[in-house]
Amino acid sequence: MDAAVRAAIEITPAAGTRERIIDITTTGRRTGNPRRIEIFFYRAAGETYLCSGTSGRPTSWYANLLAHPDFIFHLKHGIRADLPARAIPVTDEEERRRVLVEIVADLNQPHNPGTITQPTHLRDWLDSRLARVTFP
């Protein structure tokens, strides 16, 4: 993987909001058609994650990834790249908690990287959809 692309994916807590916003293109679970949305991505435990945030409501992007885990991860700020990726749902409660603790701590920084109302609390994120992203 190109060094600039790797740096864009491996954001640190110092990354601003724009660096955390990407698009993803999933395959529709019912139609099989491509579906592109804008979403934040997160880094925790040295890995890349997609997370639905605090609502706990079902999301189409997550349902699409459950049906078709291969998708495109589109970097669009600072560097442009369309990366083949695979989503792995994080369902183990201990792993989810460990990852979400890091995401919430990152979002509670003074510079508010995710434009989330501060402070945000772990309890508000426990029902979120969470998927680890791998890049083949």
Side-chain angles (χ1 to χ4, degrees), residues 35-49:
R35 300 287 185 223
R36 187 169 177 152
I37 64 159
E38 184 174 78
I39 189 170
F40 282 94
F41 77 99
Y42 303 92
R43 289 287 291 180
E47 302 281 349
T48 302
Y49 292 89

Side-chain angles (χ1 to χ4, degrees), residues 9-130:
I9 294 169
E10 294 177 355
I11 59 171
T12 69
T17 299
R18 288 181 58 82
E19 290 89 0
R20 298 163 185 267
I21 299 172
I22 60 165
D23 286 350
I24 61 172
T25 300
T26 62
T27 301
R29 66 194 173 283
R30 290 186 289 241
T31 66
N33 293 330
R35 300 287 185 223
R36 187 169 177 152
I37 64 159
E38 184 174 78
I39 189 170
F40 282 94
F41 77 99
Y42 303 92
R43 289 287 291 180
E47 302 281 349
T48 302
Y49 292 89
L50 299 176
C51 186
S52 64
T54 61
S55 75
R57 292 187 312 253
T59 59
S60 293
W61 67 264
Y62 187 77
N64 290 344
L65 290 175
L66 289 177
H68 306 282
D70 294 321
F71 69 104
I72 304 297
F73 187 101
H74 304 279
L75 291 169
K76 60 184 191 173
H77 296 291
I79 188 165
R80 294 193 177 272
D82 300 322
L83 307 171
R86 177 168 268 254
I88 302 162
V90 180
T91 57
D92 177 77
E93 289 304 316
E94 184 177 314
E95 181 182 4
R96 287 177 55 76
R97 181 174 287 274
R98 190 172 53 249
V99 169
L100 291 169
V101 161
E102 283 194 46
I103 289 172
V104 168
D106 189 18
L107 292 171
N108 279 327
Q109 294 181 78
H111 71 280
N112 197 10
T115 64
I116 303 292
T117 302
Q118 288 185 302
T120 188
H121 302 280
L122 176 62
R123 68 178 176 269
D124 299 329
W125 290 72
L126 292 175
D127 289 335
S128 63
R129 302 332 183 236
L130 182 64

